[in-house]
Amino acid sequence: MTASGEFETGDANRHSGTATGTTDSTDDVLLKVDGLSKHFPVESGLFSGLNVSWDGRVPSVGYGREYLKAVDDVSFEIRRGETLGLVGESGCGKSTLARTILRLLEPSSGSIEFEGRDITTLGGEDLRQQRRNMQMVFQDPQSSLNPRQKIGQIVEEPLKTHGLLDDEGRETRARELLERVGLDSDHYNRYPHEFSGGQRQRVNLARALALDPDLIICDEPVASLDVSIQAQVLNTMTELQEEFGLTYLFIAHDLSVIRQISDRVAVMYLGKIVELGNKEAVYENPKHPYTKALLDSIPVPDPRKRSERETLGGDLPSPVNPPSGCRFRTRCPELIAPDAYDFSDAEWAALRELIRTIDRQLVEPSPPEALRRQFLNDVDLPAAADESVERALELFADGEPDRAAELLSESFVAPSVCARDVPSYEVDSTNGTEARFVACHRYAEETPTE
Amino acid sequence: MATPPETAEMGDQPVSSSAGEADESIRDLTGWRYTLAQIKRDRTARLGWYIISVVSVVAIVTYVDSQLLNYYIADTFWYHPERDAEGTALLPPVGLENSYGAGTWSHPLGTDQRGRDLLVRIVYGTRIAIQVGVVATGLGVIVGTIIGAVSGYYGGWIDDILQRTVETVYAIPFLILVIAIMSAFGRHLWIAIVGVGIVTVPIFARLIRSEVLKVREEEYIEAAKAIGVKDRHILARHIIPNSFAPVLVQGTLQIGVNILIVAGLSFLGFGVQPPTPSWGQILADSRGYMLPNPWFSIFPGIAILVTVMGFNLLGDGLRDALDPRNNG
Amino acid sequence: MTQDPLLSVQNVTTQFVTEEGIVRAVDDLSFDVHRGETLGLVGESGAGKSVAIRSIMRLISSPGEIVSGTITYKGHVILDRSQGPDGEVRDGEAMLSEAEMRSKIRGREIALIFQDPMESLNPVFTIGSQLREFIEINRDLSNAEAKAEAIELLREVGIPEAESRYHEYPHQFSGGMRQRVLIAMALACKPDLIIADEPTTALDVTVEGQILDLIEQLKTEYETSFIWVTHDMGVVAEICDRVNVMYLGELIEQAPVDELFHETKHPYTEALLRSIPKPHETTGEFDPIRGIMPDGMNAPSGCRFHPRCPDAREVCMSVHPDLREIDDGQNAACLKYDVFDADYDDSPPLVVDENGERVPAETVESVGGDD
């Protein structure tokens, strides 16, 4: 298997492993995505690459484009007939990933293989033919149907585009498809605005099915529907999968929906897959701290389980300048202590709390002793560490919170393995025979021999 | 394409969030039927519609008579609008009197400086006005829509080149440009039409481009691409029909404006050449006689005013009917 | 529950006059909010939740109109309106004027938090200046005092680097941070009641968690009451004390939160709870409510839920149930309970097709029950 780090430029990646999980035979792999990245230039235009920095006395001018790393080095496989759930919060790049796989966006690097055929650079008529095999269901039932076309025209368009069937045959097929997705064949002559959100999503499904594709990528297909309607549409999707032998890449932010519909689950954070594995394994025994945090933060629809929810703090970092190493490290509750200091767990926890507080300036500038009392009362830091802390606290007290945060970050966060290396590990699943992928240095020891 | 042109071009969909009832209320009408229903309810738009209908019928009849029948109808039942008159020059309208005599019912609006019947000249001037207004605007709409849609859809260097070209045309004062074109190619009616068409292209190109920039972000465009629909079909089936509403409004208003431009050109002597009657030219003729005979200028003025107003009223009505904000 | 309620809503009806007819978006709505409690207002889209809370704030504008009802808040009569037989609406004398609503109630006594914080913030002014101005106007503070107060509030709602972010614009804030700003604005006048209209719906689950934590913390600190409008039963379970469930403009169940989830009375609530995908167990399939939410214009006769109801009987088509007490503190509008005395038990089961049309019992074989 190809190492996922191979396509990463310049990153010293000691570990390798695909996020695919090991499969017994590669025959049933329908889609293979390897090291796929999609970077957008932050601004386009003649002078957009020009950077003026006002830090010094003389403004320094530099030229160099910034890129938004929407999808960065993502690898996975989808097997024929399965549903791979892709879950992540807004801004994690899951929609960009879907569009890049479908070649609606041009990949920046990496490869996409469909049934063993590399479609990364396919163009023109070849790409147009390839599109027959992969379809998409979109999120917004309002905007995904042309308001000026009748339902019949919408469902027939794929057939027409690929020159399949004659007029009559297309109409028969369209009516049949409408019935298959739970609509009435009489809806053929209606316009989209006459339908509810759930029904429009069914029209979307009918259009996607028209060419009898192998793979359907569903981008948040039920996110904008009421919960009772969601369930109707999801049931139909499951039925269609069995009937047509479909393979789904099902993208959602709703972990509950993903759990019910997927066979395997991939969790994305800030452009990268952080965990991928068998659904039950991921939900019952989440390994990555982000997966754990996601699962813990869902409000449970049962007032007797109120206390079970836990909250993940912090904000999503900018995908233009993502954190080095593990992208989740800025919010991670399980950040690994740097080797240099030999902290105890309690010391490290107290110190992290202090770093977080100063970094986010959650308190007003106050004398070092007060902050020490508040955060480091019970712990006795090693001398080398204590010196840095003292200097940072003084800076903070002097009203230079940014420099204080910088100093703390340099001393304690940067040396951590989480900031130095991009994590990428395959671990043995405790639940089933399949290996699973976890992008967290906590699982470095569990990596099977490479 | 699968979409009938009327459906494609006219009318905004009433977007209602509620589902699938089949009652025959206005909300459930689609495309141009919805737009028509809206306009019928709008009194001023209806007035505009009536004015345009009357003017158009007059224009068609006079066109047939002048182009195909060599003024047979006019000659038989009335006066020949081009020929020098047998009557008195500058005869006033009915009920007025001047040094040449009193108005008679045989020349209800009086006669011009050559004794030609003014009513006939104005009526036969309609054809030029409508012909030039509609054809020139149509030319502007078609060329402008194609340029704007291509420019907005593809973006990049195609957009840059097309937009700079369009802006260059836009930057030249329109009257000067048309006069320049006519000076270069001759003072024919068709040159006037093409000239006016060219100066209106930028208006529509820019208008539709801004709409296309919005529409191309819609998910159904992405859906069409995912299906493998070719770019020209995406433009024709999805992009243009959904960005056309403002062009329709602007086009209707622009017909009025173009009628004015052509009247202005004729007034300056750059339009249709005499003896073919046109409103601008009648106005130009009346210049020398205006003071004792204001009616000579007023009647062609009224013709221009009413016609342009008709297009403006209908255009405003269309704007209201097509505005998605009014369909909530 | 013995003390006077903070807010009392009685028989409020709001309708919208459209070209096609009259829609009763809120029909005969009655409920109380007590001091310090969080009242959930739950329903799917089209249930009338948003119209209900806008009616409380008297923010209904044409073509909508509140046609009848009484709303009292801490002795103020927010609404006292009745409809005569001629259809004319009459206001009671004690009812606050529009100017009084503006100066006394909105923002100061009852604050609103909307779903989309971007629409509630002016994009061309900084976050700080908007918050400061709001405080300045409503609390008669000087410019400098208001600024200090604004920064304090931003810090309180958990905005990092409050002092520097005071000078930033709304678009520089993430969705969660903007919602925090709105919460800060709502808290600025220390209102006794905050009405939150789906405030976490647009947010990611981890951000939603942060906001829910913040609300929980503020509730204990300020003792504010909340009306929390949502469609998310998870959020309801998390923060509400009592819950009102709405369906097509009507309240169909009122219950303390534990009873609502564990001793559900109304079939709609039951079906709604069943239809939620479970995050913590794999069920493998979904249990939807059949049919679609009917148009408010063509509300079904009798019980409005009957075409979609698994428990519907013939009687449900003709008899309209009002909200009655079924159990201690728990009200529901369903004829299957004895208090309605509607011969439900003797009525034959109602069978409907997918369009909600009644199917005579003998022709029935199988009914496809979705959309």
Side-chain angles (χ1 to χ4, degrees):
Chain A
M1 294 231 165
T2 326
S4 63
E6 196 176 289
F7 294 84
E8 186 99 320
T9 45
D11 248 317
N13 187 357
R14 289 182 296 124
H15 316 283
S16 63
T18 46
T20 54
T22 318
T23 40
D24 294 333
S25 79
T26 44
D27 299 338
D28 59 352
V29 172
L30 184 67
L31 179 81
K32 183 168 179 225
V33 172
D34 204 349
L36 192 68
S37 299
K38 177 65 193 173
H39 298 175
F40 296 99
V42 171
E43 277 170 50
S44 60
L46 189 57
F47 296 110
S48 62
L50 222 52
N51 302 312
V52 183
S53 159
W54 293 94
D55 287 345
R57 281 166 185 241
V58 182
S60 62
V61 179
Y63 194 85
R65 249 184 207 167
E66 285 198 307
Y67 286 92
L68 188 152
K69 300 167 186 73
V71 174
D72 204 19
D73 190 25
V74 164
S75 304
F76 62 88
E77 288 176 0
I78 306 179
R79 294 162 217 162
R80 193 179 289 280
E82 79 165 349
T83 301
L84 176 67
L86 180 62
V87 68
E89 297 182 280
S90 50
C92 76
K94 51 193 194 301
S95 290
T96 307
L97 178 60
R99 284 160 174 77
T100 312
I101 293 173
L102 278 174
R103 294 284 317 279
L104 293 170
L105 296 171
E106 288 306 307
S108 305
S109 65
S111 72
I112 310 157
E113 268 178 44
F114 190 86
E115 289 184 309
R117 180 186 185 205
D118 190 337
I119 60 163
T120 324
T121 51
L122 227 52
E125 189 57 25
D126 288 343
L127 179 61
R128 229 172 66 76
Q129 289 305 323
Q130 171 60 30
R131 294 204 186 285
R132 287 173 62 171
N133 301 321
M134 341 167 35
Q135 284 297 309
M136 183 153 174
V137 174
F138 293 87
Q139 173 179 5
D140 185 355
Q142 299 286 338
S143 105
S144 53
L145 305 176
N146 183 344
R148 279 165 218 282
Q149 284 188 319
K150 288 181 178 174
I151 300 302
Q153 292 171 322
I154 291 171
V155 178
E156 280 177 23
E157 182 155 41
L159 301 168
K160 204 169 190 167
T161 295
H162 290 279
L164 304 175
L165 304 172
D166 55 3
D167 282 358
E168 207 174 303
R170 281 200 288 264
E171 177 166 349
T172 317
R173 172 109 173 112
R175 286 181 187 274
E176 186 189 299
L177 281 166
L178 288 176
E179 280 179 9
R180 289 275 180 94
V181 298
L183 293 169
D184 201 310
S185 80
D186 294 342
H187 290 153
Y188 183 84
N189 279 320
R190 301 257 198 105
Y191 283 93
H193 77 267
E194 298 174 54
F195 293 91
S196 66
Q199 290 171 314
R200 286 177 199 220
Q201 253 355 14
R202 288 169 190 274
V203 176
N204 257 323
L205 276 172
R207 171 172 61 188
L209 287 171
L211 293 168
D212 211 357
D214 295 313
L215 174 70
I216 296 189
I217 297 181
C218 315
D219 185 13
E220 300 264 14
V222 295
S224 51
L225 307 178
D226 271 323
V227 63
S228 65
I229 306 297
Q230 262 187 18
Q232 293 178 356
V233 174
L234 289 169
N235 274 342
T236 305
M237 291 184 67
T238 319
E239 286 160 25
L240 291 171
Q241 181 168 34
E242 281 166 27
E243 197 179 335
F244 293 90
L246 297 170
T247 306
Y248 287 138
L249 173 58
F250 194 100
I251 299 172
H253 68 277
D254 187 333
L255 288 133
S256 319
V257 169
I258 288 279
R259 174 159 201 169
Q260 309 310 330
I261 200 144
S262 312
D263 299 311
R264 290 188 305 141
V265 177
V267 183
M268 250 183 120
Y269 181 79
L270 207 63
K272 280 189 179 294
I273 289 184
V274 296
E275 181 159 4
L276 192 156
N278 178 281
K279 166 182 65 181
E280 290 302 326
V282 171
Y283 276 81
E284 290 302 327
N285 181 18
K287 299 251 183 202
H288 197 283
Y290 178 63
T291 316
K292 289 181 199 167
L294 266 185
L295 285 169
D296 285 343
S297 57
I298 309 172
V300 188
D302 183 349
R304 292 180 187 171
K305 293 184 179 166
R306 266 187 199 191
S307 53
E308 290 180 12
R309 188 173 58 83
E310 278 179 40
T311 304
L312 175 67
D315 256 350
L316 197 68
S318 157
V320 178
N321 291 308
S324 64
C326 171
R327 294 193 171 179
F328 186 58
R329 68 173 166 85
T330 51
R331 301 169 74 186
C332 185
E334 297 180 35
L335 188 74
I336 298 168
D339 304 334
Y341 297 104
D342 200 24
F343 290 120
S344 73
D345 287 351
E347 286 164 0
W348 179 233
L351 189 55
R352 275 213 329 269
E353 190 56 33
L354 175 70
I355 294 171
R356 199 179 96 86
T357 307
I358 290 190
D359 185 41
R360 294 165 63 79
Q361 298 172 33
L362 296 174
V363 290
E364 290 177 57
S366 39
E369 305 79 52
L371 284 174
R372 264 179 190 279
R373 254 199 318 282
Q374 193 181 345
F375 291 95
L376 305 172
N377 214 7
D378 309 330
V379 295
D380 204 6
L381 295 175
D386 202 59
E387 199 178 306
S388 306
V389 170
E390 185 58 35
R391 274 193 9 243
L393 288 179
E394 278 165 13
L395 279 171
F396 189 69
D398 290 346
E400 299 216 44
D402 293 336
R403 285 184 57 197
E406 203 176 312
L407 178 67
L408 284 173
S409 167
E410 265 169 32
S411 317
F412 301 111
V413 180
S416 165
V417 64
C418 297
R420 282 185 285 120
D421 292 334
V422 178
S424 172
Y425 302 100
E426 266 190 46
V427 299
D428 287 322
S429 174
T430 47
N431 202 336
T433 52
E434 287 178 55
R436 62 200 273 207
F437 171 84
V438 183
C440 176
H441 289 296
R442 292 221 165 247
Y443 300 93
E445 309 85 63
E446 292 182 36
T447 310
T449 47
E450 285 168 29
Chain B
M1 297 314 100
T3 320
E6 297 90 341
T7 320
E9 289 173 7
M10 294 188 64
D12 205 13
Q13 297 299 326
V15 176
S16 74
S17 54
S18 64
E21 269 71 48
D23 57 72
E24 271 300 311
S25 59
I26 185 163
R27 195 178 54 180
D28 293 315
L29 294 179
T30 48
W32 60 275
R33 289 209 301 151
Y34 173 83
T35 312
L36 278 188
Q38 283 284 340
I39 285 179
K40 274 186 198 155
R41 289 142 37 96
D42 181 342
R43 256 193 294 158
T44 50
R46 220 161 52 204
L47 177 63
W49 178 250
Y50 292 148
I51 292 173
I52 293 170
S53 305
V54 170
V55 173
S56 303
V57 168
V58 170
I60 290 167
V61 170
T62 52
Y63 179 84
V64 171
D65 190 32
S66 64
Q67 299 302 107
L68 307 177
L69 305 175
N70 196 21
Y71 294 110
Y72 173 79
I73 300 177
D75 258 345
T76 313
F77 299 100
W78 219 350
Y79 299 94
H80 196 298
E82 285 185 9
R83 208 168 296 153
D84 280 357
E86 54 286 344
T88 328
L90 285 176
L91 203 64
V94 176
L96 291 181
E97 222 174 297
N98 65 5
S99 50
Y100 300 99
T104 66
W105 277 107
S106 56
H107 301 290
L109 300 185
T111 59
D112 69 1
Q113 79 282 11
R114 291 180 172 172
R116 294 172 295 194
D117 184 273
L118 199 57
L119 179 59
V120 176
R121 303 243 330 140
I122 289 173
V123 165
Y124 276 77
T126 313
R127 115 175 141 80
I128 300 291
I130 297 295
Q131 194 178 351
V132 172
V134 171
V135 176
T137 310
L139 192 74
V141 166
I142 292 167
V143 178
T145 299
I146 293 170
I147 291 178
V150 167
S151 177
Y153 179 65
Y154 289 101
W157 61 270
I158 298 180
D159 186 32
D160 284 341
I161 291 176
L162 288 175
Q163 286 308 303
R164 293 304 89 75
T165 314
V166 157
E167 278 159 18
T168 309
V169 175
Y170 207 42
I172 305 169
F174 66 86
L175 215 50
I176 292 176
L177 186 61
V178 179
I179 290 172
I181 291 172
M182 294 191 74
S183 309
F185 295 100
R187 296 182 173 188
H188 301 295
L189 178 61
W190 285 107
I191 305 288
I193 290 176
V194 171
V196 175
I198 288 173
V199 301
T200 46
V201 163
I203 298 170
F204 296 106
R206 289 157 59 101
L207 186 65
I208 202 149
R209 177 176 171 270
S210 69
E211 282 297 303
V212 169
L213 289 181
K214 271 181 266 166
V215 173
R216 74 168 185 185
E217 300 300 323
E218 297 276 341
E219 275 185 353
Y220 55 80
I221 304 299
E222 215 167 20
K225 284 184 194 165
I227 288 166
V229 181
K230 289 178 179 143
D231 279 352
R232 62 169 191 274
H233 290 153
I234 292 182
L235 276 169
R237 276 184 222 159
H238 300 286
I239 301 255
I240 292 178
N242 284 293
S243 12
F244 204 73
V247 172
L248 196 68
V249 173
Q250 186 60 41
T252 311
L253 297 171
Q254 192 67 36
I255 292 177
V257 176
N258 285 353
I259 288 173
L260 275 180
I261 292 179
V262 173
L265 283 172
S266 302
F267 186 83
L268 296 174
F270 282 93
V272 197
Q273 295 310 303
T276 310
S278 79
W279 294 341
Q281 190 208 319
I282 300 173
L283 268 179
D285 288 345
S286 73
R287 266 178 305 178
Y289 315 95
M290 215 187 309
L291 260 189
N293 303 298
W295 47 267
F296 194 0
S297 309
I298 287 172
F299 288 123
I302 288 175
I304 294 173
L305 177 84
V306 168
T307 310
V308 172
M309 194 177 73
F311 283 102
N312 283 353
L313 291 179
L314 182 68
D316 284 342
L318 274 175
R319 192 200 306 275
D320 293 343
L322 294 173
D323 190 343
R325 276 169 300 186
N326 295 343
N327 295 335
Chain C
M1 295 276 172
T2 46
Q3 58 174 353
D4 278 349
L6 180 70
L7 176 84
S8 171
V9 176
Q10 296 299 325
N11 310 101
V12 169
T13 298
T14 301
Q15 64 186 29
F16 284 76
V17 181
T18 68
E19 286 156 12
E20 294 98 71
I22 292 172
V23 184
R24 292 214 155 172
V26 166
D27 203 353
D28 204 17
L29 185 73
S30 304
F31 62 85
D32 293 339
V33 183
H34 297 274
R35 268 171 207 281
E37 83 168 342
T38 300
L39 179 78
L41 193 57
V42 185
E44 297 179 275
S45 41
K49 309 174 298 249
S50 292
V51 178
I53 55 165
R54 280 167 182 76
S55 301
I56 295 172
M57 297 293 268
R58 288 216 350 238
L59 288 170
I60 301 289
S61 54
S62 177
E65 190 188 15
I66 307 172
V67 288
S68 63
T70 348
I71 301 172
T72 50
Y73 172 84
K74 289 208 295 196
H76 300 287
V77 181
I78 290 182
L79 182 78
D80 180 10
R81 188 169 283 181
S82 55
Q83 197 170 19
D86 51 349
E88 197 71 15
V89 295
R90 271 182 287 277
D91 291 341
E93 301 215 334
M95 191 168 112
L96 297 179
S97 70
E98 183 58 29
E100 285 171 317
M101 278 300 289
R102 260 200 304 272
S103 62
K104 286 185 183 162
I105 301 296
R106 291 182 203 138
R108 298 197 180 198
E109 287 287 351
I110 306 177
L112 255 178
I113 302 173
F114 290 103
Q115 175 176 354
D116 186 352
M118 203 57 200
E119 284 182 10
S120 312
L121 293 167
N122 189 334
V124 300
F125 293 110
T126 62
I127 292 284
S129 66
Q130 294 185 53
L131 189 54
R132 195 207 65 226
E133 190 187 7
F134 185 81
I135 296 170
E136 231 181 294
I137 292 170
N138 285 304
R139 284 176 50 189
D140 302 324
L141 293 178
S142 74
N143 191 314
E145 284 169 329
K147 179 175 176 181
E149 179 71 25
I151 292 175
E152 186 50 43
L153 272 169
L154 288 178
R155 197 165 275 142
E156 183 140 10
V157 296
I159 288 178
E161 303 169 39
E163 260 166 73
S164 57
R165 305 216 69 176
Y166 179 91
H167 300 287
E168 290 184 6
Y169 290 88
H171 72 265
Q172 293 168 292
F173 279 57
S174 68
M177 286 298 156
R178 283 198 286 262
Q179 200 56 276
R180 285 173 194 262
V181 172
L182 281 205
I183 292 170
M185 211 173 264
L187 288 171
C189 294
K190 308 224 167 8
D192 283 329
L193 177 64
I194 294 179
I195 301 178
D197 187 4
E198 306 247 13
T200 60
T201 303
L203 304 178
D204 278 318
V205 62
T206 57
V207 185
E208 176 179 81
Q210 295 172 358
I211 299 287
L212 293 182
D213 283 358
L214 172 67
I215 295 288
E216 209 62 51
Q217 173 206 331
L218 295 173
K219 253 165 70 177
T220 43
E221 197 175 319
Y222 289 85
E223 292 179 352
T224 316
S225 303
F226 278 88
I227 297 178
W228 198 276
V229 178
T230 182
H231 67 275
D232 186 337
M233 293 307 255
V235 174
V236 170
E238 197 68 41
I239 63 159
C240 294
D241 301 315
R242 285 191 308 130
V243 187
N244 286 335
V245 184
M246 286 186 83
Y247 184 78
L248 266 184
E250 294 181 324
L251 273 188
I252 51 99
E253 182 158 4
Q254 268 180 331
V257 67
D258 196 71
E259 278 79 357
L260 187 87
F261 282 84
H262 293 285
E263 283 164 50
T264 316
K265 291 288 185 277
H266 198 282
Y268 171 66
T269 319
E270 224 171 293
L272 192 63
L273 286 171
R274 266 204 315 272
S275 70
I276 306 170
K278 312 288 177 293
H280 294 302
E281 57 179 307
T282 305
T283 54
E285 61 173 16
F286 304 93
D287 198 349
I289 307 179
R290 69 179 175 199
I292 55 171
M293 177 82 78
D295 196 333
M297 199 86 54
N298 309 300
S301 63
C303 171
R304 293 185 173 182
F305 186 56
H306 84 257
R308 305 176 71 189
C309 180
D311 298 345
R313 303 261 172 113
E314 295 274 335
V315 65
C316 299
M317 289 178 64
S318 49
V319 181
H320 179 262
D322 47 354
L323 199 63
R324 293 192 194 176
E325 185 157 15
I326 308 294
D327 223 331
D328 192 28
Q330 206 177 355
N331 304 332
C334 178
L335 294 174
K336 72 178 176 183
Y337 295 101
D338 291 339
V339 287
F340 285 90
D341 199 17
D343 288 336
Y344 175 86
D345 293 330
D346 300 330
S347 182
L350 179 73
V351 188
V352 294
D353 66 14
E354 63 246 54
N355 298 321
E357 299 294 326
R358 183 183 160 207
V359 178
E362 54 273 16
T363 62
V364 177
E365 279 176 17
S366 67
V367 179
D370 60 18
D371 250 13

